[in-house]
Amino acid sequence: MPTFRQLLEQARAVVREVSPESVATRLRSDDAPVLLDVREPDETAEGHLPGALLVPRGNLELRVERMVEREREVVVYCASGVRSVLSARTLLDLGYSRVSSLAGGYGRWSDLGLPRVRPTHLRADQKARYRRHLSLPEVGEEGQARLASARVLLLGAGGLGSPAALYLAAAGVGTLGIVDSDVVEVSNLQRQVLHRNADAGRPKTESARDALTALNPDVKVVTFAERLTAANVLSIVRGFEIVVDGGDNFPTRYLLNDACVQEDIPLVHGSVYRFEGQATTLLPGVGPCYRCLYPAPPPPELAPSCAEAGVLGVLPGLIGLVQANEVLKLLLGIGTPLVGRLLTFDALGTRFSELALRRDPACPTCRPGAIITLSDEPGRCEVPDARA
Ligand SMILES: [Zn+2]
């Protein structure tokens, strides 16, 4: 009887090893090999390579023929590269000819920071809740799991943030951050549908948390009952992957824009005024930023907020949902985002229109090499960069 060491040596003599880097470069190519993960379920639950077939080594002979054609190229991996060599040897014996073992296994792959996915396990109640998503191939279980792991920050639990937060929670976005320092006033209820009559006087963050978790208990709501300032903006936006701007004043809008450009976080902009609304998606490095659109804020006397100017109650609902739609598309990687396009809506004429937007090569915030200085006074952010 050969010892384990001898068996391993025999296997190594016939099984080719491939490097994680060489496999990673072929992941999305047309000739990508079949990735076969032979670890145990408690190991693969922590994560695996994208698109890998999960077949524990003990079930390999039983299941592999049903799952992989013999002509296909197969890369086998385990935790460290030992079980995979033995498994690859088994596949060679079964008649698979193009088989190799991933050197260093999942451990080495992880250490190199190469792409990994966590397996999707929707509970029965989640499958029921998201049935209309699961029947869309563009979403499916994988997309729904992606939404569950997503972290989206909403600036404002007001007119725009209310519909956006409700629909993102309903859609299953796992973590919603809410920044708002206000308390609910009765005059908010005409459009801020997160809040109820009985919430008057409560902090909006608390009212929002109650409404969102009542709608979908799986959603984790992180609240920031504070005003966004140059001092706290970075610590708030960091850790979120998309920010929804539902703010109602220019200083905050510029501050959020500058912070998102600096942190490379997509920012979905929306604003409403009387009977008109607009939305666009600001993708750092790809499309224009808010300062490319509006290099300087208007003087305060020309920029009244909703509180002063009035706004038709349903209008923020429409624009907030355009923003939520942008968020879902970005998270799922589907469709065409509103990047480089300003969508405007005229509520009185019921007309949507679109304006093409361009990056400003001299933009003080997003031009290459710009040094961003966060400031509570937006006019003062326009600090020339060091080379100018
Ligand atoms: Zn810019």
Side-chain angles (χ1 to χ4, degrees), residues 257 261 287-293 359-360 362-367:
N257 175 72
V261 170
C289 80
Y290 190 73
R291 273 184 201 278
C292 296
L293 275 62
R359 267 182 97 170
D360 174 2
C363 173
T365 299
C366 75
R367 71 180 149 157

Side-chain angles (χ1 to χ4, degrees), residues 125-374:
D125 64 303
Q126 291 173 316
K127 285 184 182 168
R129 177 184 287 268
Y130 303 118
R131 187 170 301 144
R132 295 293 191 278
H133 266 171
L134 301 183
S135 49
L136 292 171
E138 292 82 357
V139 185
E141 281 208 36
E142 203 169 310
Q144 197 63 52
R146 170 77 188 94
L147 295 182
S149 69
R151 299 175 57 85
V152 176
L153 181 73
L154 296 116
L155 174 73
L160 296 164
S162 283
L166 283 167
Y167 270 87
L168 291 176
V173 171
T175 302
L176 291 175
I178 310 264
V179 190
D180 205 309
S181 61
D182 290 342
V183 296
V184 178
E185 293 177 29
V186 173
S187 65
N188 301 149
L189 303 177
Q190 163 252 23
R191 64 198 178 283
Q192 302 184 11
V193 295
L194 264 174
H195 317 294
R196 299 283 168 265
N197 208 46
D199 293 319
R202 297 180 72 201
K204 285 188 183 175
T205 44
E206 285 181 24
S207 170
R209 189 212 309 264
D210 289 352
L212 297 171
T213 49
L215 171 62
N216 188 344
D218 281 348
V219 175
K220 185 178 164 205
V221 179
V222 183
T223 59
F224 303 91
E226 52 198 304
R227 193 164 274 287
L228 205 67
T229 66
N232 66 15
V233 64
L234 289 181
S235 66
I236 290 176
V237 301
R238 277 178 186 155
F240 288 94
E241 46 193 312
I242 300 179
V243 175
V244 176
D245 183 2
D248 65 352
N249 65 83
F250 283 93
T252 310
R253 215 167 271 161
Y254 283 99
L255 179 62
L256 197 58
N257 175 72
D258 296 353
C260 285
V261 170
Q262 180 174 325
E263 295 297 307
D264 198 20
I265 301 172
L267 175 63
V268 182
H269 163 78
S271 62
V272 290
Y273 177 73
R274 292 170 54 87
F275 299 99
E276 284 163 28
Q278 61 178 42
T280 186
T281 294
L282 309 166
L283 214 52
V286 178
C289 80
Y290 190 73
R291 273 184 201 278
C292 296
L293 275 62
Y294 303 103
E301 62 274 18
L302 293 181
S305 73
C306 275
E308 297 144 24
V311 62
L312 190 68
V314 297
L315 181 61
L318 279 150
I319 299 299
L321 289 188
V322 168
Q323 292 177 280
N325 182 52
E326 288 296 294
V327 170
L328 291 186
K329 280 160 46 193
L330 288 173
L331 291 174
L332 294 167
I334 59 174
T336 309
L338 265 178
V339 174
R341 300 184 287 146
L342 182 71
L343 184 76
T344 63
F345 179 66
D346 161 20
L348 288 179
T350 310
R351 272 187 204 98
F352 282 99
S353 355
E354 207 177 291
L355 280 169
L357 305 174
R358 240 174 279 136
R359 267 182 97 170
D360 174 2
C363 173
T365 299
C366 75
R367 71 180 149 157
I371 293 174
I372 298 169
T373 307
L374 298 171

